[in-house]
Amino acid sequence: MPLLDHLVELRKRLIYALVCFFAVFFVTFYFAKPLFSFLIQPALADGYKVVVLDIFEFFFVTVKLSAFVALIVGFPLIAVQIWLFVAPGLYRHEKRAFIPFLVATPFMFYAGCALMYYIVLPYVINFMLGQYAPPDIEKTLRSSDYLERILQLVFAFGFAFEVPVLLTLLIQVGITSSEGLRSKRRYAVVVAFIIAAVLAPPDVVSQIALAIPLMAFYEISILIGGVIERKRAAADKAAEEAEQKAEEAAKAGDGSGS
């Protein structure tokens, strides 16, 4: 395909991706109030109040929330457009290899978001406001600050759950190997705690709650990578044996013909 045709196809896919994003954005913007009410339930359940301190504050909260949710919810639709652009240039076995990762990426991200909301977020709120803050301080949460913290946690735990997808994909395409990951395990532990310290709230327990999944998924990636490598070795061996049998059959045919 000529370069101009590639550029035309890329423009078409980008336009479709933007249409998907804005379609989800406007739907989310319409339902922003019940969505934000859902997000503040862990704070309300512990008896805290979420307040608005500026005339335009909740409008910008709504825009930020809608854009972030549109990016998360609309990602499968955007990923489909990316796939439709890339897929024609891939071989059949490459397509079969990439499709599971395309499906697993949003699923694992949503799993990380669920873990954050139902398990980590109530603990963070209760610990930072109920146990760490003095009891004689009135505790209210500003809506914009609360949303910013929620988005930070969503990104952190969503990223953590993408680790096995990314590492397994790197093993699948041959950039790294399970043995290479195994040899760098001690560095991975340090990196996991650094990432947790940067992305998680500034309390040790929530940082550990993020670092543990990172390390666990690193080990899971090593196991999955080992399975992939064994299957690849078995397939290569079977192909080599088939090639040898074909060569022997060809030689036998030449010998009988002469």
Side-chain angles (χ1 to χ4, degrees):
M1 182 182 293
L3 177 60
L4 182 60
D5 292 339
H6 278 292
L7 295 177
V8 171
E9 180 69 15
L10 177 61
R11 184 186 65 176
K12 182 174 72 172
R13 296 304 168 191
L14 289 176
I15 291 173
Y16 287 162
L18 288 175
V19 169
C20 294
F21 172 82
F22 282 108
V24 179
F25 173 85
F26 287 119
V27 172
T28 306
F29 191 85
Y30 182 79
F31 293 102
K33 291 180 181 179
L35 181 58
F36 190 76
S37 298
F38 171 75
L39 291 178
I40 64 176
Q41 287 307 309
L44 299 180
D46 288 333
Y48 304 111
K49 294 181 180 180
V50 180
V51 298
V52 175
L53 302 179
D54 184 80
I55 296 175
F56 300 102
E57 180 176 345
F58 194 75
F59 172 77
F60 289 111
V61 165
T62 302
V63 172
K64 183 183 291 187
L65 176 62
S66 302
F68 192 79
V69 173
L71 187 61
I72 295 175
V73 176
F75 176 77
L77 302 176
I78 298 172
V80 168
Q81 298 304 318
I82 298 174
W83 172 253
L84 292 176
F85 176 74
V86 174
L90 300 177
Y91 294 105
R92 182 177 301 177
H93 69 280
E94 293 175 333
K95 293 180 181 179
R96 289 198 301 266
F98 273 92
I99 287 178
F101 298 100
L102 193 64
V103 175
T105 298
F107 175 79
M108 293 299 292
F109 192 90
Y110 298 153
C113 295
L115 175 69
M116 179 279 301
Y117 179 81
Y118 289 106
I119 298 178
V120 177
L121 182 60
Y123 162 77
V124 171
I125 294 174
N126 182 60
F127 180 83
M128 298 304 294
L129 296 179
Q131 299 181 23
Y132 186 75
D136 53 346
I137 294 180
E138 183 180 357
K139 303 173 182 68
T140 57
L141 305 174
R142 186 171 182 175
S143 60
S144 57
D145 295 337
Y146 182 84
L147 178 64
E148 183 178 350
R149 186 62 65 187
I150 289 288
L151 298 185
Q152 178 186 2
L153 287 170
V154 166
F155 175 78
F157 281 84
F159 170 78
F161 275 65
E162 293 298 335
V163 168
V165 179
L166 175 62
L167 293 180
T168 306
L169 179 61
L170 294 178
I171 293 174
Q172 179 71 40
V173 299
I175 295 178
T176 187
S177 64
S178 60
E179 184 60 34
L181 295 179
R182 194 176 292 110
S183 65
K184 296 179 177 61
R185 181 182 284 119
R186 55 183 178 180
Y187 303 108
V189 173
V190 176
V191 172
F193 277 95
I194 292 175
I195 293 174
V198 172
L199 298 181
D203 66 283
V204 176
V205 178
S206 58
Q207 291 176 5
I208 293 176
L210 178 59
I212 289 176
L214 283 170
M215 293 186 294
F217 286 137
Y218 190 87
E219 297 297 329
I220 291 172
S221 302
I222 293 175
L223 297 177
I224 296 175
V227 173
I228 293 174
E229 289 169 346
R230 286 193 293 271
K231 288 184 177 180
R232 183 189 300 161
D236 292 342
K237 183 177 180 180
E240 184 178 351
E241 291 177 351
E243 185 178 353
Q244 290 178 352
K245 289 180 180 179
E247 291 178 357
E248 292 174 357
K251 290 179 181 179
D254 293 340
S256 60
S258 61

